[in-house]
Amino acid sequence: MPETLALAEKSAELQQLVKRVARARRVVVVTGAGISVNSGIPDFRSASGVFRQIQAAHGHVVGKGRDLFDASVVFRSGAAAAVFYEWMTQLRRQCAAARPGAAHAFIRQLADRGVLQRSYTQNIDGLERKAGLRVWDPYQKPGSAGHVPWQQAHSVPLHGTMDHLTCQLCASAVPFAALPGGAAAGDACAECLQRSQAREACGRRALATGKLRPAVVLYEELHPHGEDIARIISHDARSRADVVLVFGTTLKVPGCRQLVRRLAAAPRTTTVVVNNEPVCGRAWDGVVDYQVVGCVDEWCARVQRAWNAQSKITQWATKRTRGAPAAKENAPEPTSRKRRVSDSDSEPEPTSRKRRAPDNNSSLEPARRSARIATRGGPADYQQRQPLSICT
């Protein structure tokens, strides 16, 4: 079972974990609905979440609140589809009015520091773009103003966003208007109508017309861009992140579980799950290293304080390094103890070393030289001396 740390307790191990995350050079973040609750967007699974609200208001239409987001259930009856369109329109207005929270600002700071490898989000609120992150949007065509290649994207929405509506029949995409007057969920597809009217003008039968729905992925539904996302995940898994941070999710969606397992499988990768309640049991042994129980915003604040402490140390060291040569250059020249010779002083003439004349008794020179070597210690005596130890 992963080691559980309480954020409310200021333990030494928790502090070391915060410092390790602050020193990381490659970070991948996986986020869920919990990071957007403080921005005014409800989550789905809590006691006051969207599922409970739907069940309380429309229990006679759908058996469970989750059924409204199940593709195999919601479009079977017109009444359930109408409730789905109504709730998605209301959620779109909430997303348009919401502002990024502390967790979104933290991810943006990771990007600004150059350590964010990728941010994968299960959220459909689009707050990552409002926070200033580059978001990969498969509905933006290359060359358009909002197109961001996946290699340059900071954030990848796993379940789509509320920015677009797609036709259930022809799959064409249009912007999802947050205000009345534009395209709304449940409206007839304009492209389908245009093709049908063109056929009728030629005397042919009319074509079926699809309805617009938010470009989000529901339960029991194939992801229309699943292959592209799988390619991005494979690329990031090969890059081997130093730290994988999982924020505000219960890890109950199968796709998200597989994503975390894939990213955490790299050696020397530290995986940290931060949530208000414990979510990792024995099934996550060997995958998740730590689960921190507490508020995600408080965790982000602690890492930011660790960054600030590192910056202060770096600035102090930089000032000290830059100030040392300057102090050396501005220091006064040392006064020499030698007497300065003036121009008027006459320099003494160097004494010449005259060669000593050889003694008349030159036959005694080899014997005297041998005696001097034996007295001082010659080459044989030097080899027998013990070398000095550098460890003393």
Side-chain angles (χ1 to χ4, degrees):
M1 185 173 179
E3 185 170 357
T4 302
L5 301 175
L7 192 59
E9 300 178 0
K10 298 182 179 180
S11 62
E13 189 171 5
L14 179 62
Q15 190 64 22
Q16 291 298 324
L17 179 60
V18 170
K19 291 181 180 179
R20 184 187 305 179
V21 173
R23 291 193 301 264
R25 291 292 176 264
R26 294 187 302 274
V27 180
V28 176
V29 184
V30 180
T31 60
I35 70 169
S36 298
V37 173
N38 292 338
S39 298
I41 299 176
D43 61 358
F44 286 84
R45 300 180 183 275
S46 65
S48 59
V50 174
F51 290 165
R52 295 291 181 88
Q53 296 178 19
I54 293 174
Q55 187 172 3
H58 304 282
H60 60 285
V61 178
V62 291
K64 298 182 296 184
R66 181 184 180 278
D67 292 344
L68 199 64
F69 299 91
D70 191 330
S72 62
V73 177
V74 67
F75 297 118
R76 287 183 178 179
S77 65
V83 174
F84 172 74
Y85 296 140
E86 177 186 350
W87 272 88
M88 297 306 286
T89 301
Q90 179 182 349
L91 185 59
R92 170 57 177 159
R93 293 171 183 171
Q94 291 178 344
C95 294
R99 291 294 175 264
H104 302 94
F106 173 78
I107 300 173
R108 168 62 187 273
Q109 195 169 0
L110 286 172
D112 294 341
R113 295 173 66 90
V115 299
L116 179 64
Q117 185 176 341
R118 198 83 65 188
S119 172
Y120 293 93
T121 180
Q122 302 176 82
N123 301 335
I124 60 176
D125 47 38
L127 293 181
E128 288 78 14
R129 181 178 284 106
K130 291 184 179 181
L133 297 172
R134 295 193 297 268
V135 180
W136 175 72
D137 188 350
Y139 294 102
Q140 294 289 349
K141 297 181 179 180
S144 61
H147 174 69
V148 177
W150 68 267
Q151 297 89 342
Q152 303 176 8
H154 295 141
S155 179
V156 174
L158 296 173
H159 301 155
T161 64
M162 299 286 285
D163 295 334
H164 301 281
L165 294 168
T166 58
C167 177
Q168 301 179 29
L169 187 62
C170 68
S172 61
V174 295
F176 192 172
L179 300 176
D187 289 351
C189 175
E191 292 192 12
C192 289
L193 284 174
Q194 185 177 2
R195 285 193 295 267
S196 179
Q197 292 173 359
R199 285 178 58 87
E200 289 180 343
C202 297
R204 300 180 180 180
R205 64 178 179 84
L207 296 175
T209 302
K211 288 188 176 182
L212 298 178
R213 49 158 288 187
V216 297
V217 182
L218 303 178
Y219 295 108
E220 305 300 329
E221 184 178 35
L222 291 178
H223 200 304
H225 306 284
E227 294 183 359
D228 298 330
I229 294 179
R231 189 181 303 111
I232 300 173
I233 294 174
S234 298
H235 174 272
D236 293 344
R238 290 192 300 267
S239 300
R240 298 182 179 181
D242 298 329
V243 173
V244 175
L245 298 175
V246 184
F247 290 161
T249 175
T250 58
L251 295 174
K252 291 185 177 180
V253 178
C256 184
R257 290 201 301 263
Q258 295 176 6
L259 169 63
V260 173
R261 290 182 180 275
R262 182 76 181 276
L263 296 173
R268 299 181 181 180
T269 296
T270 302
T271 304
V272 183
V273 176
V274 184
N275 200 49
N276 284 330
E277 56 185 13
V279 295
C280 298
R282 296 188 180 276
W284 291 97
D285 284 347
V287 180
V288 175
D289 299 295
Y290 300 93
Q291 63 172 343
V292 180
V293 180
C295 180
V296 175
D297 294 351
E298 175 59 26
W299 164 268
C300 296
R302 291 200 181 187
V303 177
Q304 288 170 342
R305 287 196 291 267
W307 282 337
N308 295 336
Q310 290 179 358
S311 300
K312 291 180 180 179
I313 294 175
T314 303
Q315 293 175 2
W316 176 81
T318 304
K319 290 181 180 179
R320 187 176 182 183
T321 305
R322 292 178 179 176
K328 187 174 181 180
E329 293 176 1
N330 298 331
E333 296 183 0
T335 57
S336 176
R337 293 183 179 181
K338 296 182 179 180
R339 185 178 65 89
R340 179 176 296 178
V341 181
S342 60
D343 296 339
S344 60
D345 296 340
S346 58
E347 296 182 358
E349 295 181 0
T351 58
S352 61
R353 297 181 179 179
K354 296 182 180 181
R355 186 175 182 181
R356 187 175 181 180
D359 297 337
N360 294 331
N361 193 4
S362 58
S363 60
L364 299 177
E365 287 298 326
R368 293 174 181 174
R369 187 178 302 110
S370 299
R372 287 196 300 270
I373 292 175
T375 304
R376 293 191 309 230
D381 184 43
Y382 181 80
Q383 293 177 359
Q384 295 176 0
R385 295 178 184 177
Q386 297 293 330
L388 295 176
S389 176
I390 62 174
C391 298
T392 56

